[in-house]
Amino acid sequence: MSTGPGADSAPAPTTLDTSPTPRTRKSSMFSSLKVRNYRLFFVGQVVSNIGTWMQRIAQDWLVLSLTGSATAVGVTTALQFLPMLLFGLYGGVLVDRLPKRRALLFTQSAMGATGIALAVLTLTGHVQVWHVYVAAFAVGLATVVDNPARQSFVSEMVGPDQLQNAVSLNSANFQSARLVGPAVAGVMITGVGTGWAFLANGLSFVAPLVGLMMMRARELYAVERAPRSKGQLREGLHYVAGRPELIWTIVLVGFVSTFGFNFPVYLSAFADDVFHAGAGSYSLFNTLMAVGSLAGALLAARRGTARMRVLVVGAVAFGALEIVAATAPSLWLFALLMAPIGMFGMTVNVTANTSVQMGTDPAMRGRVMSLYMMVFMGGSPVGAPIAGWVTDAYGVRAGLAVGGAIAAAAAVTIGLVLARVGNLRLSVGWHRGHPKVRFVPREVQEQLAPAA
């Protein structure tokens, strides 16, 4: 398959990457930060991600204080995700046509301006709930372009050799902000009010804007942009449909995100209804999961390649751990399981993201990543009501167990499909006194059979 011209492209990973000769290439955990352009991008994202988490907390608190309605909070969240579901694929088409750095300068400016506008309305006492609705929808519209542009711009900054490391560090960056941002927001809301949290978020976008402007264009990996023409959206969908390693990876991510990532539903119910421990335990569950996710992102940064078998095994482990957590008899055992669940969930996210980017033509990357992000982010609005219904009807333990079982079953099924597509067979044997299970090409299995 074509992977595009120049150094910016890389061959797609083999279906399960199980050839006996190549070894996984390990790299320094922070090796991509040696690239100046990416280092500027990373530092900017550290600041703006903390601001983004601050705004999420302040936004929900403001809506709740204005309306006293949890439904209104849900509407705000839905409005922020709705543009991605409606226009996500069109955003990918735009990203493939536009210079990505210029597109990011526009989207990051728009999101910063939205935060500042909300801060002014709140600090002057004129804010109304519909203002927050409009702001959430505006941020969602900017995300339609910003998300695929940021995802695909990483490869232009670091090239194929450092792509997995950079994607992993981006995830670690986001998870670190998830630990810091809400805590800072809580202090600001309590001490000076929500308006100042919005202002801090708006100003935080100065950091990525400065970083983008300081980048050296000559050091970016050149990518041929898609010319403007009719049928580009359909072309992107056909492109993905014709590549099993892309379509099945995206399908797996869809199952895991839709049925396995409904933690706002599950964790709050476990804290209140199962363990009767209140908001403190809910916060503990989320914190431990964020710590596990951060560890998973940093471990992924050490791996030099994105192996499909890591994706499949990670998804199976993620689902299995959710089933185990559903049966946990005590609060502390349940809490301790949050860390490995977060770690394997992040392994799935990073490995899928990297393998999709590495297996995609640079001229198609925006459209493919927009489809990936639409499936990944769109899973929660679809899966959360289903998880809520199962939880209400059969209990939260059943809800979590069903979600984990679906994620694990999807991983096993898709792993077998990819093995069949790649002409692979299951090999079970011993290596240095330990059992070893792997997929090998059929011809290798046939050579091993007589010896066994």
Side-chain angles (χ1 to χ4, degrees), residues 49-70:
N49 280 337
I50 291 175
T52 297
W53 276 106
M54 290 173 63
Q55 173 138 337
R56 287 188 183 185
I57 301 301
Q59 179 177 275
D60 291 349
W61 185 261
L62 176 61
V63 171
L64 194 60
S65 64
L66 288 173
T67 65
S69 168

PDB file of all heavy atoms in Angstrom, residues 49-70:
ATOM      1  N   ASN A  49      -3.655  22.356  28.513  1.00  0.00           N
ATOM      2  CA  ASN A  49      -4.429  21.212  29.021  1.00  0.00           C
ATOM      3  C   ASN A  49      -4.867  21.431  30.469  1.00  0.00           C
ATOM      4  O   ASN A  49      -5.992  21.075  30.855  1.00  0.00           O
ATOM      5  CB  ASN A  49      -3.614  19.921  28.917  1.00  0.00           C
ATOM      6  CG  ASN A  49      -3.616  19.334  27.522  1.00  0.00           C
ATOM      7  OD1 ASN A  49      -4.508  19.609  26.733  1.00  0.00           O
ATOM      8  ND2 ASN A  49      -2.613  18.531  27.218  1.00  0.00           N
ATOM      9  N   ILE A  50      -3.994  22.015  31.279  1.00  0.00           N
ATOM     10  CA  ILE A  50      -4.387  22.339  32.655  1.00  0.00           C
ATOM     11  C   ILE A  50      -5.541  23.337  32.636  1.00  0.00           C
ATOM     12  O   ILE A  50      -6.531  23.198  33.364  1.00  0.00           O
ATOM     13  CB  ILE A  50      -3.192  22.898  33.444  1.00  0.00           C
ATOM     14  CG1 ILE A  50      -2.151  21.785  33.672  1.00  0.00           C
ATOM     15  CG2 ILE A  50      -3.642  23.486  34.785  1.00  0.00           C
ATOM     16  CD1 ILE A  50      -0.876  22.258  34.325  1.00  0.00           C
ATOM     17  N   GLY A  51      -5.442  24.349  31.764  1.00  0.00           N
ATOM     18  CA  GLY A  51      -6.522  25.322  31.639  1.00  0.00           C
ATOM     19  C   GLY A  51      -7.821  24.685  31.174  1.00  0.00           C
ATOM     20  O   GLY A  51      -8.909  25.045  31.647  1.00  0.00           O
ATOM     21  N   THR A  52      -7.721  23.734  30.254  1.00  0.00           N
ATOM     22  CA  THR A  52      -8.917  23.058  29.738  1.00  0.00           C
ATOM     23  C   THR A  52      -9.624  22.276  30.831  1.00  0.00           C
ATOM     24  O   THR A  52     -10.854  22.312  30.951  1.00  0.00           O
ATOM     25  CB  THR A  52      -8.536  22.126  28.581  1.00  0.00           C
ATOM     26  OG1 THR A  52      -8.001  22.912  27.506  1.00  0.00           O
ATOM     27  CG2 THR A  52      -9.747  21.350  28.073  1.00  0.00           C
ATOM     28  N   TRP A  53      -8.865  21.554  31.662  1.00  0.00           N
ATOM     29  CA  TRP A  53      -9.470  20.818  32.774  1.00  0.00           C
ATOM     30  C   TRP A  53     -10.076  21.775  33.794  1.00  0.00           C
ATOM     31  O   TRP A  53     -11.134  21.492  34.386  1.00  0.00           O
ATOM     32  CB  TRP A  53      -8.440  19.908  33.436  1.00  0.00           C
ATOM     33  CG  TRP A  53      -8.284  18.599  32.729  1.00  0.00           C
ATOM     34  CD1 TRP A  53      -7.239  18.210  31.945  1.00  0.00           C
ATOM     35  CD2 TRP A  53      -9.211  17.516  32.730  1.00  0.00           C
ATOM     36  NE1 TRP A  53      -7.461  16.943  31.455  1.00  0.00           N
ATOM     37  CE2 TRP A  53      -8.658  16.490  31.921  1.00  0.00           C
ATOM     38  CE3 TRP A  53     -10.446  17.303  33.325  1.00  0.00           C
ATOM     39  CZ2 TRP A  53      -9.310  15.284  31.697  1.00  0.00           C
ATOM     40  CZ3 TRP A  53     -11.099  16.095  33.108  1.00  0.00           C
ATOM     41  CH2 TRP A  53     -10.525  15.106  32.305  1.00  0.00           C
ATOM     42  N   MET A  54      -9.447  22.933  33.998  1.00  0.00           N
ATOM     43  CA  MET A  54     -10.008  23.937  34.902  1.00  0.00           C
ATOM     44  C   MET A  54     -11.363  24.412  34.389  1.00  0.00           C
ATOM     45  O   MET A  54     -12.325  24.556  35.139  1.00  0.00           O
ATOM     46  CB  MET A  54      -9.047  25.105  35.048  1.00  0.00           C
ATOM     47  CG  MET A  54      -7.780  24.787  35.811  1.00  0.00           C
ATOM     48  SD  MET A  54      -6.595  26.149  35.780  1.00  0.00           S
ATOM     49  CE  MET A  54      -7.535  27.417  36.643  1.00  0.00           C
ATOM     50  N   GLN A  55     -11.438  24.669  33.070  1.00  0.00           N
ATOM     51  CA  GLN A  55     -12.690  25.164  32.512  1.00  0.00           C
ATOM     52  C   GLN A  55     -13.788  24.099  32.597  1.00  0.00           C
ATOM     53  O   GLN A  55     -14.953  24.433  32.818  1.00  0.00           O
ATOM     54  CB  GLN A  55     -12.498  25.612  31.062  1.00  0.00           C
ATOM     55  CG  GLN A  55     -13.801  25.982  30.361  1.00  0.00           C
ATOM     56  CD  GLN A  55     -13.699  27.217  29.499  1.00  0.00           C
ATOM     57  OE1 GLN A  55     -12.848  28.065  29.695  1.00  0.00           O
ATOM     58  NE2 GLN A  55     -14.570  27.306  28.516  1.00  0.00           N
ATOM     59  N   ARG A  56     -13.431  22.836  32.396  1.00  0.00           N
ATOM     60  CA  ARG A  56     -14.447  21.782  32.492  1.00  0.00           C
ATOM     61  C   ARG A  56     -15.112  21.778  33.867  1.00  0.00           C
ATOM     62  O   ARG A  56     -16.339  21.694  33.984  1.00  0.00           O
ATOM     63  CB  ARG A  56     -13.807  20.412  32.229  1.00  0.00           C
ATOM     64  CG  ARG A  56     -13.446  20.156  30.789  1.00  0.00           C
ATOM     65  CD  ARG A  56     -13.013  18.720  30.603  1.00  0.00           C
ATOM     66  NE  ARG A  56     -12.600  18.464  29.235  1.00  0.00           N
ATOM     67  CZ  ARG A  56     -12.264  17.271  28.764  1.00  0.00           C
ATOM     68  NH1 ARG A  56     -12.303  16.216  29.565  1.00  0.00           N
ATOM     69  NH2 ARG A  56     -11.889  17.110  27.509  1.00  0.00           N
ATOM     70  N   ILE A  57     -14.302  21.863  34.909  1.00  0.00           N
ATOM     71  CA  ILE A  57     -14.842  21.860  36.265  1.00  0.00           C
ATOM     72  C   ILE A  57     -15.651  23.133  36.520  1.00  0.00           C
ATOM     73  O   ILE A  57     -16.777  23.084  37.031  1.00  0.00           O
ATOM     74  CB  ILE A  57     -13.703  21.738  37.297  1.00  0.00           C
ATOM     75  CG1 ILE A  57     -12.908  20.428  37.067  1.00  0.00           C
ATOM     76  CG2 ILE A  57     -14.261  21.776  38.709  1.00  0.00           C
ATOM     77  CD1 ILE A  57     -13.711  19.170  37.165  1.00  0.00           C
ATOM     78  N   ALA A  58     -15.084  24.287  36.147  1.00  0.00           N
ATOM     79  CA  ALA A  58     -15.762  25.561  36.388  1.00  0.00           C
ATOM     80  C   ALA A  58     -17.063  25.659  35.595  1.00  0.00           C
ATOM     81  O   ALA A  58     -18.065  26.181  36.086  1.00  0.00           O
ATOM     82  CB  ALA A  58     -14.830  26.714  36.023  1.00  0.00           C
ATOM     83  N   GLN A  59     -17.050  25.145  34.377  1.00  0.00           N
ATOM     84  CA  GLN A  59     -18.235  25.194  33.521  1.00  0.00           C
ATOM     85  C   GLN A  59     -19.382  24.390  34.132  1.00  0.00           C
ATOM     86  O   GLN A  59     -20.516  24.874  34.219  1.00  0.00           O
ATOM     87  CB  GLN A  59     -17.860  24.636  32.148  1.00  0.00           C
ATOM     88  CG  GLN A  59     -18.973  24.584  31.137  1.00  0.00           C
ATOM     89  CD  GLN A  59     -18.453  24.087  29.801  1.00  0.00           C
ATOM     90  OE1 GLN A  59     -17.932  24.836  28.987  1.00  0.00           O
ATOM     91  NE2 GLN A  59     -18.584  22.795  29.562  1.00  0.00           N
ATOM     92  N   ASP A  60     -19.087  23.175  34.572  1.00  0.00           N
ATOM     93  CA  ASP A  60     -20.133  22.344  35.192  1.00  0.00           C
ATOM     94  C   ASP A  60     -20.655  22.981  36.476  1.00  0.00           C
ATOM     95  O   ASP A  60     -21.864  22.978  36.740  1.00  0.00           O
ATOM     96  CB  ASP A  60     -19.590  20.939  35.485  1.00  0.00           C
ATOM     97  CG  ASP A  60     -19.322  20.146  34.213  1.00  0.00           C
ATOM     98  OD1 ASP A  60     -19.751  20.596  33.141  1.00  0.00           O
ATOM     99  OD2 ASP A  60     -18.675  19.090  34.297  1.00  0.00           O
ATOM    100  N   TRP A  61     -19.735  23.537  37.284  1.00  0.00           N
ATOM    101  CA  TRP A  61     -20.142  24.149  38.544  1.00  0.00           C
ATOM    102  C   TRP A  61     -21.009  25.384  38.298  1.00  0.00           C
ATOM    103  O   TRP A  61     -22.000  25.614  38.997  1.00  0.00           O
ATOM    104  CB  TRP A  61     -18.905  24.517  39.353  1.00  0.00           C
ATOM    105  CG  TRP A  61     -19.226  25.037  40.721  1.00  0.00           C
ATOM    106  CD1 TRP A  61     -19.274  26.332  41.132  1.00  0.00           C
ATOM    107  CD2 TRP A  61     -19.569  24.253  41.860  1.00  0.00           C
ATOM    108  NE1 TRP A  61     -19.612  26.424  42.447  1.00  0.00           N
ATOM    109  CE2 TRP A  61     -19.801  25.156  42.924  1.00  0.00           C
ATOM    110  CE3 TRP A  61     -19.693  22.879  42.096  1.00  0.00           C
ATOM    111  CZ2 TRP A  61     -20.158  24.723  44.199  1.00  0.00           C
ATOM    112  CZ3 TRP A  61     -20.046  22.457  43.360  1.00  0.00           C
ATOM    113  CH2 TRP A  61     -20.279  23.368  44.395  1.00  0.00           C
ATOM    114  N   LEU A  62     -20.647  26.179  37.281  1.00  0.00           N
ATOM    115  CA  LEU A  62     -21.413  27.386  36.974  1.00  0.00           C
ATOM    116  C   LEU A  62     -22.825  27.029  36.518  1.00  0.00           C
ATOM    117  O   LEU A  62     -23.811  27.637  36.966  1.00  0.00           O
ATOM    118  CB  LEU A  62     -20.701  28.202  35.901  1.00  0.00           C
ATOM    119  CG  LEU A  62     -21.432  29.458  35.409  1.00  0.00           C
ATOM    120  CD1 LEU A  62     -21.643  30.447  36.553  1.00  0.00           C
ATOM    121  CD2 LEU A  62     -20.655  30.120  34.269  1.00  0.00           C
ATOM    122  N   VAL A  63     -22.942  26.050  35.629  1.00  0.00           N
ATOM    123  CA  VAL A  63     -24.262  25.649  35.138  1.00  0.00           C
ATOM    124  C   VAL A  63     -25.113  25.124  36.287  1.00  0.00           C
ATOM    125  O   VAL A  63     -26.310  25.447  36.402  1.00  0.00           O
ATOM    126  CB  VAL A  63     -24.126  24.586  34.027  1.00  0.00           C
ATOM    127  CG1 VAL A  63     -25.488  23.994  33.667  1.00  0.00           C
ATOM    128  CG2 VAL A  63     -23.487  25.193  32.792  1.00  0.00           C
ATOM    129  N   LEU A  64     -24.507  24.326  37.161  1.00  0.00           N
ATOM    130  CA  LEU A  64     -25.247  23.781  38.293  1.00  0.00           C
ATOM    131  C   LEU A  64     -25.707  24.898  39.236  1.00  0.00           C
ATOM    132  O   LEU A  64     -26.834  24.876  39.742  1.00  0.00           O
ATOM    133  CB  LEU A  64     -24.373  22.775  39.045  1.00  0.00           C
ATOM    134  CG  LEU A  64     -25.082  21.862  40.051  1.00  0.00           C
ATOM    135  CD1 LEU A  64     -26.146  21.015  39.361  1.00  0.00           C
ATOM    136  CD2 LEU A  64     -24.067  20.982  40.773  1.00  0.00           C
ATOM    137  N   SER A  65     -24.836  25.901  39.450  1.00  0.00           N
ATOM    138  CA  SER A  65     -25.212  26.999  40.347  1.00  0.00           C
ATOM    139  C   SER A  65     -26.263  27.903  39.720  1.00  0.00           C
ATOM    140  O   SER A  65     -27.078  28.495  40.433  1.00  0.00           O
ATOM    141  CB  SER A  65     -23.969  27.820  40.719  1.00  0.00           C
ATOM    142  OG  SER A  65     -23.412  28.441  39.568  1.00  0.00           O
ATOM    143  N   LEU A  66     -26.270  28.028  38.384  1.00  0.00           N
ATOM    144  CA  LEU A  66     -27.262  28.871  37.710  1.00  0.00           C
ATOM    145  C   LEU A  66     -28.629  28.206  37.628  1.00  0.00           C
ATOM    146  O   LEU A  66     -29.660  28.881  37.681  1.00  0.00           O
ATOM    147  CB  LEU A  66     -26.785  29.222  36.298  1.00  0.00           C
ATOM    148  CG  LEU A  66     -25.621  30.212  36.176  1.00  0.00           C
ATOM    149  CD1 LEU A  66     -25.160  30.307  34.722  1.00  0.00           C
ATOM    150  CD2 LEU A  66     -26.014  31.591  36.689  1.00  0.00           C
ATOM    151  N   THR A  67     -28.652  26.880  37.488  1.00  0.00           N
ATOM    152  CA  THR A  67     -29.913  26.181  37.221  1.00  0.00           C
ATOM    153  C   THR A  67     -30.330  25.224  38.318  1.00  0.00           C
ATOM    154  O   THR A  67     -31.514  24.898  38.438  1.00  0.00           O
ATOM    155  CB  THR A  67     -29.809  25.383  35.911  1.00  0.00           C
ATOM    156  OG1 THR A  67     -28.836  24.339  36.076  1.00  0.00           O
ATOM    157  CG2 THR A  67     -29.394  26.274  34.746  1.00  0.00           C
ATOM    158  N   GLY A  68     -29.371  24.726  39.088  1.00  0.00           N
ATOM    159  CA  GLY A  68     -29.675  23.687  40.070  1.00  0.00           C
ATOM    160  C   GLY A  68     -30.069  22.375  39.437  1.00  0.00           C
ATOM    161  O   GLY A  68     -30.627  21.499  40.093  1.00  0.00           O
ATOM    162  N   SER A  69     -29.732  22.199  38.153  1.00  0.00           N
ATOM    163  CA  SER A  69     -30.182  21.024  37.402  1.00  0.00           C
ATOM    164  C   SER A  69     -28.998  20.219  36.871  1.00  0.00           C
ATOM    165  O   SER A  69     -28.152  20.756  36.140  1.00  0.00           O
ATOM    166  CB  SER A  69     -31.066  21.465  36.227  1.00  0.00           C
ATOM    167  OG  SER A  69     -31.295  20.399  35.340  1.00  0.00           O
ATOM    168  N   ALA A  70     -28.958  18.936  37.219  1.00  0.00           N
ATOM    169  CA  ALA A  70     -27.938  18.052  36.649  1.00  0.00           C
ATOM    170  C   ALA A  70     -28.183  17.827  35.163  1.00  0.00           C
ATOM    171  O   ALA A  70     -27.243  17.607  34.390  1.00  0.00           O
ATOM    172  CB  ALA A  70     -27.938  16.715  37.389  1.00  0.00           C
TER     173      ALA A  70
END
